[in-house]
Amino acid sequence: MKTDHLIKSLLLAFLLLIISCTAGTDRKTVAPFPAPWLEEMTISRLEEGYAKGSYTVTQVVKDYLDRIAAIDKNGPGLNSVIIVNPDALEIAKELDRELKSGKARGPLFGIPVLLKDNIDTHDKMPNSAGSRALKDNYPLKDSPVAKKLREAGAVILGKTNLSEWANFRASASSSGWSGMGGQTKNPYVLDRNPCGSSSGSAAAVSANLCMLAIGTETDGSIVCPSNNNGIVGLKPTVGLISRSGIIPISFTQDTPGPMGRTVSDIAACLGPLTGVDSNDIMTLSSSGKSKNDYTVFLNSKGLKGRRIGLLKSDMGFSSGVDTLFMNVAEILRREGAEVIPIEAPRVNIGEAALNVLLYEFKDGINKYLRSSGSSVPVRDLKELIEFNKKDSVELRYFDQKEFERAEAKGDLNSKEYKDALSKILHAMREDGIDKMMTENKLDAIMSPTGSPAWKTDLLLGDHFVGGNSSPAAIAGYPSLTLPMGFIGGLPVGVSFTGRAWSEDVLIGIAFSYEQAAKQRRAPKFLTTD
C-alpha cells in the first residue's frame, strides 16, 4: 500500500511539473483589473447612465485612468498609451457641472477618447509621432479633430503609441515600436504584434482603456491594427475629416478615422468629426456629401437587397482566414445580400505608389516642422535625419532609409511625381474600385482584412502574411473592417470597401453583419514563452 501511495505521489508530482512547465505557453495574466463594469461598454449605454444619474463623467474618467494604470503601465504592460492627459479629470468635472445645469453639450458628451500621438492637441501633451525629436512639440492650437471632439463633449484621455512616424521611416520595422513609447503589445496574446501604425489606438480600445480612439491611415494603419486587435476601424474617404494639425505622410492618402468596439460607436463618432476645413483643401470635396449623423444608417436589415463583391484575388494566404471569410459570405446571403465573386485587375504600381509617398512626405513634413514651435530642435527632414544619427535610441533597431530616400526627392512640381500620382489614381479608381463596382453593380466589395497577428520581432521587423489595404488607401476611398472570427485565439477581420463618400452604405452593411455574427470578444492578455 505504501508503494502504491508513493507511485501515486510521484505521478501527481510529475503531472504538476508538466502543468507548470506548459502553463507559460498559454495562460491568463492574473490581475484584479479595476472598473470591470466598463468592459465592453458602449456609447449608448454610457449616455443612458449619465441621463439616469447612475454615474458621473468624473467617475467614468477616473475609472478609465485607473484601468490604464493597471493594464497599460503595470499588469500586462500593453504600452499602448504614451501620455495621459493631466487635465482629464478637470475636464470631466466641468462636464459634470454642465450636466447638472442641464446644458450637456454635443453627441459625444462624457465619452473618453484617446488620440494617436501624431494629432495636435493644444494642452499639456506634446505631439511626438513617437519620435524623440518631437518630445517637446507642444502644438500652438488644437487640430480640427481635437477641436471637434471637445465641442462634441468628448474627454481626451491621452495620446496613444504608434509605429514611429506612422511607420514611414525604416526599410523594415516592428509595428507599434517608437523611440518615445517602446513596443506596444497585442492584448490577446502579449508577444504578438498589434500591427500599425495606429497600434496603441487599437490595443487600447480592445483592452477597454477608452471608449473610442482616433487613428490615422496612409495605407493600412487603421484597418490592419483593427484586424489584429479585434475591433472595428473605419478609414474614411480622404477629405471627409480634416487632416490639418496631423503630422503628415501623404497629402493624397492620409486620413484620420475612428476606432471602436462596435459599428454603432464608430457611427456615433464619425458625424461630429466631418466638415469643411479651409486649411485642408481635400475637405472641400466633402461639401454636400458628408453627414452630421451616421447613426441613422444603423439598420439591422441593412444587408437586404445589397450586392457585395467577394474579392477572390485577396484569398489564399491562409486556409483559416479563407474558411472564416466564406462563413461571412454565407451570413451575408442569409441576411438577404447577393454575394458576387469578382477578381481585382492585375496592376504593377508599387514603384509609382512609393514615389508618391516619398515626394509627399518630404513636402508635408518640412511644412509641419517649419510651422512648429521653437522647442522642436529640427526644422526640416534633413535636420531630422541628422538628429536620429546622433540619438542613442532612434536607430537602435531600425534604419531610416525611407527618410533618406524622401530627402533625395525634388518638389511636387517634379514630372516623376506627377506621372506617378496620375498612374496610381487611375489604376485604383477608374480602372480599379470604380470599374469593379460599376461592371458588377455592387454596393460594396468584401475582402479579408489580414492574417492573425505575428510574433513581434525587434530584430527582423514585421512578418505580414496577407491582406490588401492599398486599393482603398491609394484611391482615397472608404474601408471599414470588423471582426469575423478567431484563429488560434487571435482575431481576424473582414473589410467592406466602397466608392468615395459611401460611409453610410458601409456602416449599414457592417452593422447588419455585426448583429448577425457577433464576433467581438474581449482579450484575455494571454502570454506565451
Side-chain angles (χ1 to χ4, degrees):
M1 295 293 292
K2 286 184 178 179
T3 303
D4 289 344
H5 181 73
L6 177 61
I7 292 172
K8 289 179 181 177
S9 298
L10 288 171
L11 284 171
L12 179 61
F14 181 67
L15 287 171
L16 289 172
L17 177 63
I18 291 174
I19 292 169
S20 66
C21 289
T22 60
T25 63
D26 191 32
R27 64 177 184 270
K28 291 182 181 180
T29 299
V30 179
F33 299 139
W37 70 278
L38 282 175
E39 293 177 4
E40 303 303 288
M41 178 63 73
T42 64
I43 289 177
S44 61
R45 284 168 51 207
L46 198 59
E47 289 176 336
E48 184 181 353
Y50 288 147
K52 291 181 177 178
S54 302
Y55 32 74
T56 64
V57 181
T58 303
Q59 176 192 349
V60 170
V61 169
K62 182 182 182 303
D63 282 353
Y64 270 123
L65 293 175
D66 287 346
R67 287 184 65 81
I68 291 171
I71 296 172
D72 202 65
K73 305 308 177 189
N74 299 298
L78 288 184
N79 252 12
S80 67
V81 180
I82 279 187
I83 186 171
V84 166
N85 186 354
D87 295 326
L89 283 173
E90 286 304 313
I91 294 169
K93 290 174 184 176
E94 175 59 31
L95 290 173
D96 279 330
R97 287 191 284 270
E98 288 184 18
L99 190 60
K100 271 190 174 182
S101 68
K103 298 178 182 178
R105 78 180 89 152
L108 296 177
F109 179 86
I111 303 302
V113 180
L114 286 166
L115 302 188
K116 186 176 180 179
D117 197 30
N118 62 348
I119 301 173
D120 283 353
T121 58
H122 180 51
D123 47 28
K124 297 172 184 174
M125 297 185 291
N127 190 24
S128 74
S131 169
R132 287 155 60 90
L134 298 189
K135 66 182 179 65
D136 295 318
N137 176 34
Y138 290 90
L140 303 177
K141 62 180 181 179
D142 270 344
S143 61
V145 165
K147 183 174 183 287
K148 284 176 176 288
L149 286 170
R150 296 190 209 274
E151 289 173 348
V155 181
I156 298 176
L157 282 182
K159 307 289 289 293
T160 56
N161 199 16
L162 66 158
S163 311
E164 187 169 318
W165 294 104
N167 213 16
F168 197 78
R169 190 195 81 175
S171 56
S173 62
S174 173
S175 289
W177 182 88
S178 74
M180 284 289 290
Q183 177 65 53
T184 298
K185 300 175 185 177
N186 188 306
Y188 285 91
V189 181
L190 297 174
D191 68 352
R192 297 284 175 155
N193 196 270
C195 200
S197 63
S198 304
S199 315
S201 295
V205 166
S206 187
N208 288 279
L209 305 185
C210 58
M211 182 65 69
L212 292 163
I214 305 299
T216 65
E217 175 161 329
T218 304
D219 189 343
S221 287
I222 288 175
V223 297
C224 184
S226 296
N227 174 82
N228 284 28
N229 292 275
I231 65 167
V232 183
L234 173 64
K235 184 206 85 72
T237 305
V238 173
L240 186 68
I241 304 172
S242 172
R243 295 92 51 83
S244 298
I246 296 177
I247 297 174
I249 293 177
S250 168
F251 175 79
T252 301
Q253 295 176 210
D254 287 352
T255 180
M259 305 170 78
R261 290 180 293 274
T262 67
V263 177
S264 299
D265 285 356
I266 293 298
C269 182
L270 183 59
L273 296 179
T274 64
V276 172
D277 170 21
S278 60
N279 293 315
D280 180 359
I281 62 171
M282 283 292 201
T283 65
L284 300 179
S285 298
S286 73
S287 180
K289 301 182 183 73
S290 65
K291 312 287 193 298
N292 293 324
D293 182 5
Y294 286 86
T295 63
V296 298
F297 303 104
L298 296 169
N299 178 7
S300 61
K301 303 296 183 183
L303 281 164
K304 192 170 183 179
R306 293 295 190 184
R307 289 175 57 88
I308 299 175
L310 185 152
L311 203 55
K312 294 196 300 180
S313 46
D314 277 0
M315 299 175 64
F317 61 84
S318 163
S319 60
V321 170
D322 285 351
T323 298
L324 291 175
F325 186 54
M326 296 312 293
N327 287 343
V328 173
E330 285 305 309
I331 293 172
L332 300 184
R333 292 187 181 103
R334 191 179 71 211
E335 295 300 310
E338 186 176 356
V339 178
I340 300 98
I342 60 172
E343 296 278 355
R346 294 182 179 274
V347 293
N348 182 11
I349 59 167
E351 183 179 358
L354 178 58
N355 271 330
V356 168
L357 297 186
L358 293 171
Y359 275 99
E360 292 187 347
F361 176 73
K362 180 180 180 180
D363 179 76
I365 200 62
N366 284 345
K367 288 175 180 174
Y368 183 89
L369 292 173
R370 287 165 184 160
S371 67
S372 300
S374 58
S375 59
V376 176
V378 295
R379 310 311 294 176
D380 57 28
L381 180 56
K382 184 177 181 180
E383 290 184 6
L384 178 58
I385 291 169
E386 292 305 311
F387 176 95
N388 288 339
K389 289 178 181 178
K390 297 172 185 176
D391 189 83
S392 61
V393 171
E394 288 294 344
L395 301 182
R396 178 181 296 174
Y397 299 113
F398 312 113
D399 59 43
Q400 54 179 342
K401 287 186 178 178
E402 300 301 353
F403 273 12
E404 291 163 351
R405 293 177 70 180
E407 175 58 25
K409 295 295 184 183
D411 60 30
L412 299 188
N413 292 313
S414 163
K415 184 178 186 300
E416 181 185 47
Y417 165 71
K418 291 179 178 179
D419 288 348
L421 180 60
S422 175
K423 179 179 181 179
I424 65 172
L425 290 181
H426 191 80
M428 293 295 103
R429 291 178 181 175
E430 292 91 342
D431 284 351
I433 294 172
D434 290 337
K435 184 177 182 180
M436 287 187 288
M437 295 190 71
T438 298
E439 288 183 349
N440 295 283
K441 300 177 181 178
L442 302 177
D443 296 294
I445 297 170
M446 62 181 286
S447 58
T449 310
S451 69
W454 56 92
K455 285 194 174 183
T456 293
D457 187 342
L458 286 173
L459 295 179
L460 300 178
D462 290 331
H463 306 293
F464 289 104
V465 176
N468 187 8
S469 59
S470 294
I474 294 171
Y477 289 0
S479 186
L480 191 157
T481 181
L482 72 162
M484 70 172 177
F486 288 79
I487 299 174
L490 292 163
V492 289
V494 58
S495 288
F496 295 99
T497 297
R499 299 180 191 269
W501 320 112
S502 65
E503 284 80 4
D504 52 350
V505 175
L506 299 185
I507 284 170
I509 289 170
F511 179 75
S512 183
Y513 165 72
E514 178 190 56
Q515 298 310 297
K518 298 188 183 300
Q519 289 297 327
R520 162 67 188 173
R521 197 159 74 215
K524 300 297 184 184
F525 310 102
L526 302 181
T527 60
T528 58
D529 294 335

